[in-house]
Amino acid sequence: MKEAPLSLAQRDRLVVALEQNSKRSFTQIKKLLGLDGQVQFNFEDPKRQELKGNSTSAILSKPSNFGDARFDFGLEKQNEIVQKLLDEENEEQLVQWLIFNTKIDEQHAENIANTTLPEGYGSLGHEALGKVLNKLQEAVITYDKAVLAAGFDHHCNVSQSATGEILMELPYYGEALQRHVGFDSGEAHHHPEKRFGKIANPTVHIGLNQLRKVVNALIKKYGHPSEVIVEVARDLKQSKKQRDDENKRQAENQKRNKQFRKNIAEVLGIAEENVHRKDIEKWALWEELSADPANRKCPYTGVTISASMLLSSEVQIEHILPFQEHWTTA
C-alpha cells in the first residue's frame, strides 16, 4: 500500500472546511479533495469515520449569528471576539460591544451574546501556540516537528527540568510532569502540590499520588527494584478477529452515543457540542429501564422519569456497590 501526505493546497482546503463545519466525514473529505473512494486516511477506521472541525467557528458562523462575515475577521479579531464572549458577564454590555466592534445589528448581537460555546481549554499559551501554528501553516508537517521547528523542546519531553539523575524514590508527579500540570505557585517553600501544581482530573491526581506512595513504601521495605515490568495492553494480545470484533463493538457504541447526544441536545435546546458526558450516561441507563419511555421508572420510588426530568437535577445515578455475603453452615 502506497502512502502519501496531502499537498499543501489539499491541506489548506481541508482546514477551510473544518473551520466552517463542526465535523466532516472522510467521505466528504475525499470528495472535497478529489480523491478516489479507495483512498484511506491514516486516521480512518470503523471507530472514526469523521474529523472534528472548529465547533466554535461553526457556531458563530451560523446565519443567526455572524454568518459568513465571521470569516472576514482576521485571526486576532476572531480570538478577541471569543475571549469577550467568555469573559463578559453583563449581557447588555456584551451586546453593545459586539455592535460597536463588529458592526452587526442588535438582533444578531443578542443572538451571539446568548450563544453557548463549547467547553474546553488549550494546553499551550497564546504566544507558544502562535509559534507552533506558524510552523504548521508553512508546511504539511506533524505536530511534533512543528514544536521543534518553533524552537521548543520535543513535545514528548515531559519535563524541561529533567536532569537524568537516578532518584532514591518517586517524587511528587507534578515535579516530573511539569508540562502536564497547572495552577503552580513556583514558590520553593510551598508544599509540592502547590509549588508544582496538579492535574485537573481529580481521579488521575489521586491515582498518581497513591501509586507514588505504594511504590515508595515497597522501596522502603524491599529496596530498589532491579527490574520494572510494564504489562502489555490487553488489546495487543488479541487476534485479528478479536480486534475487529472489538472495533466493531466500539463503533456501535460511538454510533449509539452520537444518537444519545442528538436526543439530549434536542430536549435541552442546546448545541450537540455542549452535551455533557454525565447526561449521556444518564440517557443510556434510562433507555435500559424499558423500551417504552412511559414505563421508565425509578427502581426505588416507582416514579416515571420523563426525558426532561432525567436531564434535570431531580435525577441522579445511584452507584450501588457490590458486596460478598459469607454463608456458614451448622
Side-chain angles (χ1 to χ4, degrees):
M1 182 181 294
K2 182 179 178 181
E3 295 184 359
L6 296 179
S7 68
L8 187 59
Q10 287 175 321
R11 194 282 309 272
D12 289 345
R13 287 205 301 274
L14 177 56
V15 168
V16 171
L18 293 176
E19 276 290 316
Q20 298 176 352
N21 300 274
S22 60
K23 59 187 176 183
R24 291 284 88 176
S25 69
F26 285 112
T27 300
Q28 292 172 318
I29 293 172
K30 292 171 188 176
K31 184 177 180 180
L32 171 70
L33 302 181
L35 298 175
D36 186 272
Q38 299 301 315
V39 171
Q40 184 169 359
F41 290 98
N42 58 329
F43 285 160
E44 187 178 0
D45 61 39
K47 295 180 292 182
R48 177 186 282 183
Q49 293 295 311
E50 61 190 25
L51 287 180
K52 290 185 178 180
N54 188 335
S55 299
T56 297
S57 182
I59 291 172
L60 293 179
S61 61
K62 288 181 178 180
S64 58
N65 294 327
F66 284 114
D68 291 338
R70 152 82 175 170
F71 305 106
D72 294 334
F73 300 127
L75 185 59
E76 289 297 323
K77 189 68 174 181
Q78 292 182 35
N79 290 337
E80 182 184 7
I81 292 170
V82 172
Q83 197 61 52
K84 192 69 176 178
L85 293 176
L86 295 174
D87 295 341
E88 182 57 69
E89 297 181 358
N90 187 300
E91 183 179 335
E92 184 178 349
Q93 292 182 16
L94 178 56
V95 169
Q96 293 305 313
W97 185 92
L98 289 167
I99 293 173
F100 181 79
N101 288 276
T102 66
K103 311 305 179 185
I104 58 174
D105 59 50
E106 184 174 357
Q107 181 59 61
H108 282 82
E110 290 180 354
N111 293 341
I112 296 167
N114 286 285
T115 295
T116 302
L117 298 181
E119 296 182 350
Y121 62 90
S123 58
L124 295 179
H126 182 75
E127 183 177 352
L129 184 60
K131 291 181 179 180
V132 174
L133 182 59
N134 286 338
K135 298 302 178 182
L136 287 170
Q137 291 173 332
E138 290 174 1
V140 183
I141 56 177
T142 52
Y143 174 75
D144 59 324
K145 292 182 174 62
V147 170
L148 291 174
F152 298 109
D153 220 350
H154 194 278
H155 77 294
C156 290
N157 186 352
V158 297
S159 176
Q160 295 182 6
S161 63
T163 61
E165 64 181 307
I166 298 176
L167 302 177
M168 299 304 293
E169 62 179 19
L170 290 183
Y172 169 60
Y173 76 81
E175 182 176 353
L177 304 175
Q178 292 180 31
R179 289 186 66 251
H180 299 271
V181 298
F183 316 108
D184 59 298
S185 70
E187 299 292 337
H189 63 280
H190 283 162
H191 184 275
E193 190 170 305
K194 186 174 182 181
R195 176 185 175 185
F196 296 106
K198 61 182 180 179
I199 291 175
N201 187 316
T203 303
V204 176
H205 172 71
I206 294 172
L208 289 176
N209 275 329
Q210 292 300 317
L211 175 64
R212 176 172 60 91
K213 291 179 179 179
V214 170
V215 171
N216 288 340
L218 291 172
I219 290 174
K220 184 177 180 180
K221 184 172 183 178
Y222 300 105
H224 291 87
S226 58
E227 183 181 16
V228 176
I229 299 175
V230 179
E231 183 180 354
V232 177
R234 180 174 56 189
D235 57 350
L236 295 180
K237 301 177 183 178
Q238 295 177 334
S239 66
K240 184 179 185 304
K241 183 179 184 306
Q242 289 174 320
R243 290 197 301 271
D244 289 343
D245 290 343
E246 178 66 13
N247 287 336
K248 181 179 179 182
R249 184 188 65 80
Q250 292 181 1
E252 291 173 349
N253 287 340
Q254 289 179 347
K255 183 178 180 180
R256 180 203 66 174
N257 289 344
K258 184 178 180 180
Q259 184 61 50
F260 288 170
R261 185 180 295 274
K262 181 179 179 181
N263 295 342
I264 294 168
E266 290 177 353
V267 172
L268 297 179
I270 61 175
E272 291 183 27
E273 295 82 5
N274 295 325
V275 172
H276 292 286
R277 175 164 293 278
K278 64 178 181 65
D279 286 333
I280 295 178
E281 293 175 358
K282 277 186 175 182
W283 197 280
L285 293 172
W286 184 60
E287 289 205 350
E288 288 180 7
L289 292 174
S290 174
D292 182 1
N295 291 329
R296 294 172 185 169
K297 302 180 180 183
C298 171
Y300 296 103
T301 65
V303 174
T304 300
I305 303 174
S306 65
S308 58
M309 181 181 176
L310 173 76
L311 301 174
S312 70
S313 59
E314 294 182 69
V315 175
Q316 294 182 342
I317 297 175
E318 174 65 31
H319 298 281
I320 304 174
L321 299 177
F323 65 93
Q324 179 180 1
E325 286 188 293
H326 297 277
W327 296 89
T328 59
T329 57

